[in-house]
Amino acid sequence: MAVRIFETDPAAFPKVRPQFADDLAYRLRAGKTVNDRPVSLPTWRITTGDPAVAEAISKLLGGAVEPWATTKEDSLEVITEVDSLRLVIDGADAVESSLVQFGRSGPPIHVCDGVEFLEPPEDAGRPCGCPALLSERKAQSKTGRGPSPLIKVTFRLADSPDLGKGQLTSSSWELLKVLHELENALDKVDGPALVQLSLELVQFTTQTGVDVSFRKPVFKVLGPVPAAEGGTTNE
């Protein structure tokens, strides 16, 4: 028979630290939504469902721990004070990309690699029907008639790898166009790579005279992870 000491003192029951359903400790974001509109931020934003992780990130990168409105598990956010991070990425396999169009109810209705369907399994390998030109792909995506990039990069913070795995998710066409450069650079590193990830300011004026300003993530592979910094991220 099991002991029943926590029936008389429930506050003493060991607290279970919340985990993301997909085994991620936190998510890295380049912006947030304000009044239903995406807003680019000058510094990195990190969200998590673990108060201990949030406090650790606040101490490491600056910024206050705040709740934010979401239906997901990562209900705490830290808008950090840094626009550049050092990451440890375990090779090109830690980088995923696809083109995805979501239905109104949430689940994706189109998942492809730009040429062939990836999902569902019964359609995998069949031509996806997307236009050949990048400009046409972007135009269809903008009007909701075609898929958008879904890029996922899994990593650990080089300065605090014990916090667990984080992930950057991006729908940037600009990042998608250079993603092969990141994958090729990671392939050249024998083992975990030390990578600098920065928010680069982009400013231009459209042909119609509209000023555009946003920040895009830029990866720079620095080389193998030095032994003094943990050398590996294997669990």
Side-chain angles (χ1 to χ4, degrees), residues 6-28:
F6 300 118
E7 291 183 18
T8 60
D9 188 7
F13 192 82
K15 302 297 187 298
V16 179
R17 292 176 62 182
Q19 296 292 326
F20 282 103
D22 49 9
D23 197 33
L24 296 174
Y26 52 92
R27 294 187 180 277
L28 182 62

Side-chain angles (χ1 to χ4, degrees), residues 6-191:
F6 300 118
E7 291 183 18
T8 60
D9 188 7
F13 192 82
K15 302 297 187 298
V16 179
R17 292 176 62 182
Q19 296 292 326
F20 282 103
D22 49 9
D23 197 33
L24 296 174
Y26 52 92
R27 294 187 180 277
L28 182 62
R29 304 174 186 269
K32 65 182 305 180
T33 300
V34 177
N35 297 326
D36 295 326
R37 295 179 63 87
V39 175
S40 177
L41 295 173
T43 58
W44 287 109
R45 172 177 172 244
I46 296 179
T47 61
T48 180
D50 189 330
V53 170
E55 288 294 339
I57 288 172
S58 175
K59 292 179 181 179
L60 180 68
L61 304 175
V65 178
E66 301 284 354
W68 68 292
T70 179
T71 59
K72 304 293 180 62
E73 296 170 312
D74 54 336
S75 59
L76 299 173
E77 69 174 6
V78 179
I79 299 178
T80 73
E81 298 174 354
V82 300
D83 61 3
S84 182
L85 297 167
R86 295 193 315 153
L87 312 179
V88 174
I89 300 180
D90 285 335
D93 288 343
V95 181
E96 305 174 44
S97 62
S98 58
L99 295 175
V100 180
Q101 182 178 4
F102 290 93
R104 291 183 179 179
S105 60
I109 59 175
H110 181 119
V111 182
C112 73
D113 61 6
V115 178
E116 298 177 343
F117 281 112
L118 299 175
E119 298 177 15
E122 59 268 23
D123 290 335
R126 291 177 47 208
C128 61
C130 291
L133 298 181
L134 179 61
S135 58
E136 294 179 359
R137 294 180 189 271
K138 293 172 68 173
Q140 283 194 357
S141 169
K142 188 174 182 179
T143 59
R145 295 183 293 109
S148 302
L150 179 58
I151 302 165
K152 298 179 181 180
V153 182
T154 304
F155 61 88
R156 292 178 188 266
L157 291 172
D159 295 323
S160 191
D162 292 341
L163 284 180
K165 294 179 181 179
Q167 188 176 85
L168 170 70
T169 302
S170 174
S171 59
S172 167
W173 286 99
E174 294 303 310
L175 178 57
L176 186 66
K177 288 192 293 186
V178 299
L179 199 62
H180 65 283
E181 298 176 5
L182 171 62
E183 294 171 326
N184 292 340
L186 290 171
D187 276 334
K188 294 179 181 179
V189 177
D190 184 16

